[in-house]
Amino acid sequence: MRKKIVAGNWKMNTNLQEGVALAKDVNEALKGIAPKCDVVVCVPFTHLASVNAVIDSTKLGLGAENCADQKSGAYTGEVSASMVASTGATYVILGHSERRQYYGETSAILKEKLGLALENNLTPIFCIGEVLEERDNNTHFDVVKAQIEEALFELSAEDFGKIILAYEPVWAIGTGKTATDDQAEEMHAFIRSVIAAKYGDAVAEETSILYGGSCKPSNAAQLFAKPNVDGGLIGGASLKAADFMGIVTAF
Ligand code: 13P
């Protein structure tokens, strides 16, 4: 059975003290319960080591929101996959639409990042998704398929099996406009079929595909009830422990 996962993406929010307090709150809330999914928080680089020190890693996973496309050396301001791993983090978000859109991350760059993340035993949470115009002109399936093929399909089946996918329609991110559960299911089933055609049914069945985009406590249960939706990648609603836990317990 593939894993169910709820992961927070804090983006560029919280200073160090606020972030540590938020992580402590989530950690505390997880103490009393046995969630039906893995729970992860992906936090700014500056917060990783401090957050790692205050969470129970058996109950709450930790990840970065990005890593460099180079191993080490003269790349001022960059943070390598090995540096991320050395903080105790075990996940890394790659290919978020905000990285693609604002920082020019292409599939070629993302392939380098993926390779380095896997070399350092980080689990990539790899994001894909179309913009509104692409959905409106009915090219959303082609766009998502191309994003998967370009960045992921040179991986061995073994390495592909280590990746978590996150379908995040760009028009639903931070807009309050969630994809309907049927829209999410339709795309997730399509993504699984694309994986099956390349790597076979067994690999496709084992791949966790998360939904992201205005997911909140009030719509999470409906989304997660769909057979191909294996959890969520949560932005805004991950910044308040109560909201985030409302999504975690939607399973
Ligand atoms: P929101 O949940 O704020 O829409 O953000 C989704 C997202 O981009 C998670 O990576």
Side-chain angles (χ1 to χ4, degrees), residues 7 9 11 96-97 127-130 165-175 177-179 184 188 209-216 223-224 229 231-235:
N9 173 10
K11 307 191 180 182
H96 194 281
S97 61
C127 304
I128 50 188
E130 80 283 0
L165 287 179
Y167 169 59
E168 299 206 311
V170 180
W171 47 270
I173 296 177
T175 57
K177 197 175 171 211
T178 321
H188 284 222
I209 308 175
L210 315 185
Y211 168 79
S214 299
C215 185
K216 40 192 182 255
L223 286 159
F224 298 171
V229 178
L233 183 57
I234 318 300

mmCIF file of all heavy atoms in Angstrom, residues 7 9 11 96-97 127-130 165-175 177-179 184 188 209-216 223-224 229 231-235:
data_model
loop_
_atom_site.group_PDB
_atom_site.id
_atom_site.type_symbol
_atom_site.label_atom_id
_atom_site.label_comp_id
_atom_site.label_asym_id
_atom_site.label_seq_id
_atom_site.Cartn_x
_atom_site.Cartn_y
_atom_site.Cartn_z
ATOM 1 N N ALA A 7 2.002 17.021 3.939
ATOM 2 C CA ALA A 7 3.239 17.786 4.101
ATOM 3 C C ALA A 7 2.918 19.269 4.056
ATOM 4 O O ALA A 7 2.173 19.733 3.199
ATOM 5 C CB ALA A 7 4.231 17.425 2.994
ATOM 6 N N ASN A 9 4.203 23.130 3.441
ATOM 7 C CA ASN A 9 5.223 23.927 2.754
ATOM 8 C C ASN A 9 5.087 25.341 3.291
ATOM 9 O O ASN A 9 4.168 26.059 2.912
ATOM 10 C CB ASN A 9 4.992 23.878 1.240
ATOM 11 C CG ASN A 9 5.909 24.823 0.481
ATOM 12 O OD1 ASN A 9 6.846 25.377 1.053
ATOM 13 N ND2 ASN A 9 5.619 25.017 -0.795
ATOM 14 N N LYS A 11 6.875 27.863 2.790
ATOM 15 C CA LYS A 11 7.321 28.908 1.850
ATOM 16 C C LYS A 11 8.188 29.934 2.601
ATOM 17 O O LYS A 11 8.896 29.563 3.525
ATOM 18 C CB LYS A 11 6.126 29.549 1.137
ATOM 19 C CG LYS A 11 5.228 28.475 0.489
ATOM 20 C CD LYS A 11 4.192 29.005 -0.452
ATOM 21 C CE LYS A 11 3.381 27.845 -1.033
ATOM 22 N NZ LYS A 11 2.384 28.294 -2.006
ATOM 23 N N HIS A 96 8.696 23.221 -7.366
ATOM 24 C CA HIS A 96 7.480 23.977 -7.035
ATOM 25 C C HIS A 96 7.234 25.029 -8.113
ATOM 26 O O HIS A 96 8.185 25.622 -8.633
ATOM 27 C CB HIS A 96 7.623 24.636 -5.653
ATOM 28 C CG HIS A 96 6.309 25.132 -5.141
ATOM 29 N ND1 HIS A 96 5.756 26.310 -5.569
ATOM 30 C CD2 HIS A 96 5.431 24.588 -4.268
ATOM 31 C CE1 HIS A 96 4.584 26.471 -4.974
ATOM 32 N NE2 HIS A 96 4.365 25.442 -4.183
ATOM 33 N N SER A 97 5.977 25.302 -8.406
ATOM 34 C CA SER A 97 5.670 26.257 -9.486
ATOM 35 C C SER A 97 6.259 27.632 -9.213
ATOM 36 O O SER A 97 6.592 28.369 -10.145
ATOM 37 C CB SER A 97 4.160 26.354 -9.702
ATOM 38 O OG SER A 97 3.529 26.810 -8.528
ATOM 39 N N CYS A 127 7.002 18.595 -7.631
ATOM 40 C CA CYS A 127 5.743 19.277 -7.955
ATOM 41 C C CYS A 127 5.547 19.445 -9.463
ATOM 42 O O CYS A 127 6.490 19.774 -10.189
ATOM 43 C CB CYS A 127 5.714 20.659 -7.322
ATOM 44 S SG CYS A 127 5.959 20.656 -5.546
ATOM 45 N N ILE A 128 4.324 19.249 -9.886
ATOM 46 C CA ILE A 128 3.923 19.427 -11.276
ATOM 47 C C ILE A 128 2.552 20.106 -11.284
ATOM 48 O O ILE A 128 1.846 20.056 -10.272
ATOM 49 C CB ILE A 128 3.828 18.053 -11.999
ATOM 50 C CG1 ILE A 128 2.991 17.095 -11.146
ATOM 51 C CG2 ILE A 128 5.224 17.485 -12.252
ATOM 52 C CD1 ILE A 128 2.963 15.666 -11.633
ATOM 53 N N GLY A 129 2.210 20.714 -12.394
ATOM 54 C CA GLY A 129 0.888 21.342 -12.443
ATOM 55 C C GLY A 129 0.824 22.403 -13.518
ATOM 56 O O GLY A 129 1.838 23.007 -13.868
ATOM 57 N N GLU A 130 -0.389 22.617 -14.026
ATOM 58 C CA GLU A 130 -0.595 23.538 -15.137
ATOM 59 C C GLU A 130 -1.050 24.914 -14.650
ATOM 60 O O GLU A 130 -1.581 25.036 -13.543
ATOM 61 C CB GLU A 130 -1.656 22.967 -16.101
ATOM 62 C CG GLU A 130 -3.121 23.167 -15.672
ATOM 63 C CD GLU A 130 -3.588 22.225 -14.573
ATOM 64 O OE1 GLU A 130 -2.795 21.394 -14.110
ATOM 65 O OE2 GLU A 130 -4.771 22.337 -14.166
ATOM 66 N N LEU A 165 5.156 12.519 -5.637
ATOM 67 C CA LEU A 165 4.711 13.552 -6.580
ATOM 68 C C LEU A 165 3.674 14.443 -5.912
ATOM 69 O O LEU A 165 2.924 13.997 -5.041
ATOM 70 C CB LEU A 165 4.101 12.913 -7.823
ATOM 71 C CG LEU A 165 5.082 12.248 -8.794
ATOM 72 C CD1 LEU A 165 4.325 11.629 -9.961
ATOM 73 C CD2 LEU A 165 6.097 13.247 -9.319
ATOM 74 N N ALA A 166 3.646 15.698 -6.306
ATOM 75 C CA ALA A 166 2.600 16.597 -5.822
ATOM 76 C C ALA A 166 2.000 17.310 -7.034
ATOM 77 O O ALA A 166 2.713 18.041 -7.742
ATOM 78 C CB ALA A 166 3.158 17.602 -4.831
ATOM 79 N N TYR A 167 0.711 17.053 -7.281
ATOM 80 C CA TYR A 167 0.006 17.777 -8.338
ATOM 81 C C TYR A 167 -0.532 19.069 -7.744
ATOM 82 O O TYR A 167 -1.384 19.050 -6.846
ATOM 83 C CB TYR A 167 -1.140 16.936 -8.910
ATOM 84 C CG TYR A 167 -2.040 17.751 -9.813
ATOM 85 C CD1 TYR A 167 -1.522 18.388 -10.937
ATOM 86 C CD2 TYR A 167 -3.396 17.899 -9.528
ATOM 87 C CE1 TYR A 167 -2.335 19.162 -11.761
ATOM 88 C CE2 TYR A 167 -4.216 18.662 -10.346
ATOM 89 C CZ TYR A 167 -3.679 19.290 -11.461
ATOM 90 O OH TYR A 167 -4.486 20.062 -12.264
ATOM 91 N N GLU A 168 -0.001 20.182 -8.248
ATOM 92 C CA GLU A 168 -0.421 21.490 -7.751
ATOM 93 C C GLU A 168 -0.827 22.359 -8.937
ATOM 94 O O GLU A 168 0.034 22.992 -9.568
ATOM 95 C CB GLU A 168 0.722 22.171 -6.989
ATOM 96 C CG GLU A 168 1.195 21.391 -5.781
ATOM 97 C CD GLU A 168 1.833 22.301 -4.729
ATOM 98 O OE1 GLU A 168 2.704 23.118 -5.081
ATOM 99 O OE2 GLU A 168 1.414 22.209 -3.570
ATOM 100 N N PRO A 169 -2.120 22.382 -9.261
ATOM 101 C CA PRO A 169 -2.556 23.284 -10.325
ATOM 102 C C PRO A 169 -2.254 24.726 -9.908
ATOM 103 O O PRO A 169 -2.661 25.147 -8.817
ATOM 104 C CB PRO A 169 -4.064 23.024 -10.428
ATOM 105 C CG PRO A 169 -4.455 22.326 -9.168
ATOM 106 C CD PRO A 169 -3.235 21.677 -8.607
ATOM 107 N N VAL A 170 -1.507 25.438 -10.744
ATOM 108 C CA VAL A 170 -0.996 26.756 -10.331
ATOM 109 C C VAL A 170 -2.145 27.710 -10.009
ATOM 110 O O VAL A 170 -2.040 28.540 -9.104
ATOM 111 C CB VAL A 170 -0.057 27.322 -11.424
ATOM 112 C CG1 VAL A 170 0.485 28.686 -11.028
ATOM 113 C CG2 VAL A 170 1.110 26.367 -11.666
ATOM 114 N N TRP A 171 -3.259 27.562 -10.715
ATOM 115 C CA TRP A 171 -4.416 28.436 -10.498
ATOM 116 C C TRP A 171 -5.079 28.207 -9.145
ATOM 117 O O TRP A 171 -5.921 29.000 -8.714
ATOM 118 C CB TRP A 171 -5.439 28.262 -11.624
ATOM 119 C CG TRP A 171 -5.753 26.828 -11.954
ATOM 120 C CD1 TRP A 171 -5.110 26.052 -12.870
ATOM 121 C CD2 TRP A 171 -6.766 25.994 -11.374
ATOM 122 N NE1 TRP A 171 -5.651 24.796 -12.897
ATOM 123 C CE2 TRP A 171 -6.675 24.733 -11.996
ATOM 124 C CE3 TRP A 171 -7.744 26.194 -10.401
ATOM 125 C CZ2 TRP A 171 -7.511 23.667 -11.670
ATOM 126 C CZ3 TRP A 171 -8.594 25.135 -10.074
ATOM 127 C CH2 TRP A 171 -8.465 23.898 -10.708
ATOM 128 N N ALA A 172 -4.706 27.141 -8.465
ATOM 129 C CA ALA A 172 -5.312 26.847 -7.156
ATOM 130 C C ALA A 172 -4.396 27.222 -6.002
ATOM 131 O O ALA A 172 -4.797 27.143 -4.840
ATOM 132 C CB ALA A 172 -5.671 25.365 -7.072
ATOM 133 N N ILE A 173 -3.160 27.628 -6.301
ATOM 134 C CA ILE A 173 -2.197 27.884 -5.229
ATOM 135 C C ILE A 173 -2.385 29.283 -4.656
ATOM 136 O O ILE A 173 -2.263 30.276 -5.373
ATOM 137 C CB ILE A 173 -0.744 27.721 -5.745
ATOM 138 C CG1 ILE A 173 -0.502 26.271 -6.174
ATOM 139 C CG2 ILE A 173 0.257 28.148 -4.674
ATOM 140 C CD1 ILE A 173 0.874 26.026 -6.757
ATOM 141 N N GLY A 174 -2.719 29.327 -3.375
ATOM 142 C CA GLY A 174 -2.832 30.597 -2.666
ATOM 143 C C GLY A 174 -3.983 31.460 -3.146
ATOM 144 O O GLY A 174 -4.058 32.634 -2.803
ATOM 145 N N THR A 175 -4.881 30.885 -3.934
ATOM 146 C CA THR A 175 -5.965 31.674 -4.511
ATOM 147 C C THR A 175 -7.291 31.435 -3.800
ATOM 148 O O THR A 175 -8.260 32.152 -4.035
ATOM 149 C CB THR A 175 -6.186 31.277 -5.990
ATOM 150 O OG1 THR A 175 -6.462 29.861 -6.038
ATOM 151 C CG2 THR A 175 -4.970 31.583 -6.835
ATOM 152 N N LYS A 177 -9.002 29.053 -4.523
ATOM 153 C CA LYS A 177 -9.774 28.320 -5.536
ATOM 154 C C LYS A 177 -9.224 26.890 -5.634
ATOM 155 O O LYS A 177 -8.251 26.635 -6.341
ATOM 156 C CB LYS A 177 -9.597 29.050 -6.876
ATOM 157 C CG LYS A 177 -10.624 28.681 -7.897
ATOM 158 C CD LYS A 177 -10.489 29.520 -9.154
ATOM 159 C CE LYS A 177 -11.412 28.954 -10.220
ATOM 160 N NZ LYS A 177 -10.909 29.131 -11.557
ATOM 161 N N THR A 178 -9.819 25.975 -4.873
ATOM 162 C CA THR A 178 -9.340 24.588 -4.859
ATOM 163 C C THR A 178 -9.825 23.856 -6.105
ATOM 164 O O THR A 178 -10.924 24.127 -6.583
ATOM 165 C CB THR A 178 -9.925 23.841 -3.644
ATOM 166 O OG1 THR A 178 -9.929 24.726 -2.551
ATOM 167 C CG2 THR A 178 -9.139 22.608 -3.306
ATOM 168 N N ALA A 179 -9.003 22.930 -6.599
ATOM 169 C CA ALA A 179 -9.530 22.018 -7.613
ATOM 170 C C ALA A 179 -10.639 21.202 -6.947
ATOM 171 O O ALA A 179 -10.562 20.906 -5.761
ATOM 172 C CB ALA A 179 -8.418 21.102 -8.102
ATOM 173 N N ALA A 184 -9.180 16.831 -9.217
ATOM 174 C CA ALA A 184 -7.941 16.280 -8.659
ATOM 175 C C ALA A 184 -7.841 14.797 -9.008
ATOM 176 O O ALA A 184 -6.814 14.332 -9.507
ATOM 177 C CB ALA A 184 -7.905 16.490 -7.150
ATOM 178 N N HIS A 188 -4.900 12.991 -11.064
ATOM 179 C CA HIS A 188 -4.061 12.018 -10.351
ATOM 180 C C HIS A 188 -4.115 10.648 -11.049
ATOM 181 O O HIS A 188 -3.092 9.973 -11.169
ATOM 182 C CB HIS A 188 -4.505 11.889 -8.893
ATOM 183 C CG HIS A 188 -4.076 13.039 -8.026
ATOM 184 N ND1 HIS A 188 -3.574 12.891 -6.752
ATOM 185 C CD2 HIS A 188 -4.056 14.381 -8.272
ATOM 186 C CE1 HIS A 188 -3.277 14.085 -6.241
ATOM 187 N NE2 HIS A 188 -3.575 14.996 -7.138
ATOM 188 N N ILE A 209 0.862 10.293 -4.675
ATOM 189 C CA ILE A 209 0.599 11.528 -5.426
ATOM 190 C C ILE A 209 -0.248 12.441 -4.539
ATOM 191 O O ILE A 209 -1.405 12.144 -4.240
ATOM 192 C CB ILE A 209 -0.128 11.242 -6.761
ATOM 193 C CG1 ILE A 209 0.611 10.164 -7.577
ATOM 194 C CG2 ILE A 209 -0.263 12.540 -7.580
ATOM 195 C CD1 ILE A 209 -0.107 9.734 -8.859
ATOM 196 N N LEU A 210 0.361 13.552 -4.113
ATOM 197 C CA LEU A 210 -0.318 14.497 -3.222
ATOM 198 C C LEU A 210 -1.003 15.578 -4.043
ATOM 199 O O LEU A 210 -0.577 15.898 -5.156
ATOM 200 C CB LEU A 210 0.696 15.150 -2.272
ATOM 201 C CG LEU A 210 1.718 14.222 -1.605
ATOM 202 C CD1 LEU A 210 2.570 15.006 -0.604
ATOM 203 C CD2 LEU A 210 1.025 13.052 -0.927
ATOM 204 N N TYR A 211 -2.036 16.163 -3.480
ATOM 205 C CA TYR A 211 -2.691 17.325 -4.105
ATOM 206 C C TYR A 211 -2.279 18.586 -3.340
ATOM 207 O O TYR A 211 -2.235 18.586 -2.098
ATOM 208 C CB TYR A 211 -4.226 17.180 -4.081
ATOM 209 C CG TYR A 211 -4.874 18.495 -4.450
ATOM 210 C CD1 TYR A 211 -4.962 18.888 -5.775
ATOM 211 C CD2 TYR A 211 -5.293 19.389 -3.450
ATOM 212 C CE1 TYR A 211 -5.466 20.138 -6.112
ATOM 213 C CE2 TYR A 211 -5.811 20.635 -3.784
ATOM 214 C CZ TYR A 211 -5.885 20.997 -5.117
ATOM 215 O OH TYR A 211 -6.370 22.239 -5.443
ATOM 216 N N GLY A 212 -2.007 19.658 -4.062
ATOM 217 C CA GLY A 212 -1.720 20.936 -3.419
ATOM 218 C C GLY A 212 -2.421 22.077 -4.118
ATOM 219 O O GLY A 212 -2.531 22.107 -5.354
ATOM 220 N N GLY A 213 -2.910 23.042 -3.328
ATOM 221 C CA GLY A 213 -3.586 24.210 -3.889
ATOM 222 C C GLY A 213 -4.843 24.510 -3.101
ATOM 223 O O GLY A 213 -5.874 23.873 -3.322
ATOM 224 N N SER A 214 -4.725 25.457 -2.150
ATOM 225 C CA SER A 214 -5.866 25.866 -1.324
ATOM 226 C C SER A 214 -6.545 24.689 -0.616
ATOM 227 O O SER A 214 -7.769 24.675 -0.455
ATOM 228 C CB SER A 214 -6.871 26.667 -2.159
ATOM 229 O OG SER A 214 -6.257 27.854 -2.660
ATOM 230 N N CYS A 215 -5.743 23.721 -0.206
ATOM 231 C CA CYS A 215 -6.266 22.612 0.594
ATOM 232 C C CYS A 215 -6.383 23.102 2.030
ATOM 233 O O CYS A 215 -5.474 23.743 2.548
ATOM 234 C CB CYS A 215 -5.319 21.422 0.494
ATOM 235 S SG CYS A 215 -5.941 19.949 1.313
ATOM 236 N N LYS A 216 -7.519 22.840 2.641
ATOM 237 C CA LYS A 216 -7.764 23.315 4.002
ATOM 238 C C LYS A 216 -8.606 22.298 4.768
ATOM 239 O O LYS A 216 -9.096 21.337 4.156
ATOM 240 C CB LYS A 216 -8.429 24.697 3.971
ATOM 241 C CG LYS A 216 -9.467 24.883 2.901
ATOM 242 C CD LYS A 216 -9.865 26.353 2.745
ATOM 243 C CE LYS A 216 -10.960 26.471 1.691
ATOM 244 N NZ LYS A 216 -10.513 27.001 0.417
ATOM 245 N N LEU A 223 -11.225 15.630 -0.693
ATOM 246 C CA LEU A 223 -10.123 15.378 -1.635
ATOM 247 C C LEU A 223 -9.456 14.036 -1.323
ATOM 248 O O LEU A 223 -9.203 13.222 -2.220
ATOM 249 C CB LEU A 223 -9.084 16.500 -1.555
ATOM 250 C CG LEU A 223 -9.485 17.831 -2.195
ATOM 251 C CD1 LEU A 223 -8.647 18.976 -1.632
ATOM 252 C CD2 LEU A 223 -9.316 17.767 -3.721
ATOM 253 N N PHE A 224 -9.175 13.795 -0.032
ATOM 254 C CA PHE A 224 -8.421 12.600 0.361
ATOM 255 C C PHE A 224 -9.252 11.324 0.210
ATOM 256 O O PHE A 224 -8.709 10.226 0.252
ATOM 257 C CB PHE A 224 -7.916 12.715 1.806
ATOM 258 C CG PHE A 224 -6.954 13.856 2.058
ATOM 259 C CD1 PHE A 224 -6.571 14.189 3.350
ATOM 260 C CD2 PHE A 224 -6.414 14.593 1.005
ATOM 261 C CE1 PHE A 224 -5.684 15.235 3.598
ATOM 262 C CE2 PHE A 224 -5.531 15.655 1.236
ATOM 263 C CZ PHE A 224 -5.164 15.978 2.537
ATOM 264 N N VAL A 229 -5.838 10.172 -4.740
ATOM 265 C CA VAL A 229 -5.284 11.314 -3.991
ATOM 266 C C VAL A 229 -4.719 10.775 -2.674
ATOM 267 O O VAL A 229 -5.456 10.314 -1.815
ATOM 268 C CB VAL A 229 -6.360 12.390 -3.732
ATOM 269 C CG1 VAL A 229 -5.785 13.546 -2.922
ATOM 270 C CG2 VAL A 229 -6.927 12.905 -5.063
ATOM 271 N N GLY A 231 -2.881 12.337 -0.360
ATOM 272 C CA GLY A 231 -2.562 13.299 0.673
ATOM 273 C C GLY A 231 -2.426 14.686 0.096
ATOM 274 O O GLY A 231 -2.885 14.954 -1.024
ATOM 275 N N GLY A 232 -1.781 15.572 0.856
ATOM 276 C CA GLY A 232 -1.734 16.963 0.417
ATOM 277 C C GLY A 232 -0.398 17.625 0.678
ATOM 278 O O GLY A 232 0.343 17.239 1.595
ATOM 279 N N LEU A 233 -0.105 18.616 -0.161
ATOM 280 C CA LEU A 233 1.021 19.527 0.080
ATOM 281 C C LEU A 233 0.379 20.880 0.385
ATOM 282 O O LEU A 233 -0.307 21.462 -0.472
ATOM 283 C CB LEU A 233 1.940 19.592 -1.144
ATOM 284 C CG LEU A 233 3.198 20.456 -0.995
ATOM 285 C CD1 LEU A 233 4.053 20.011 0.192
ATOM 286 C CD2 LEU A 233 4.059 20.372 -2.271
ATOM 287 N N ILE A 234 0.593 21.346 1.595
ATOM 288 C CA ILE A 234 -0.235 22.407 2.159
ATOM 289 C C ILE A 234 0.579 23.680 2.360
ATOM 290 O O ILE A 234 1.584 23.661 3.079
ATOM 291 C CB ILE A 234 -0.795 21.978 3.547
ATOM 292 C CG1 ILE A 234 -1.270 20.518 3.549
ATOM 293 C CG2 ILE A 234 -1.885 22.934 3.996
ATOM 294 C CD1 ILE A 234 -2.366 20.191 2.554
ATOM 295 N N GLY A 235 0.144 24.770 1.760
ATOM 296 C CA GLY A 235 0.821 26.047 1.931
ATOM 297 C C GLY A 235 0.235 26.813 3.095
ATOM 298 O O GLY A 235 0.532 26.551 4.266
#
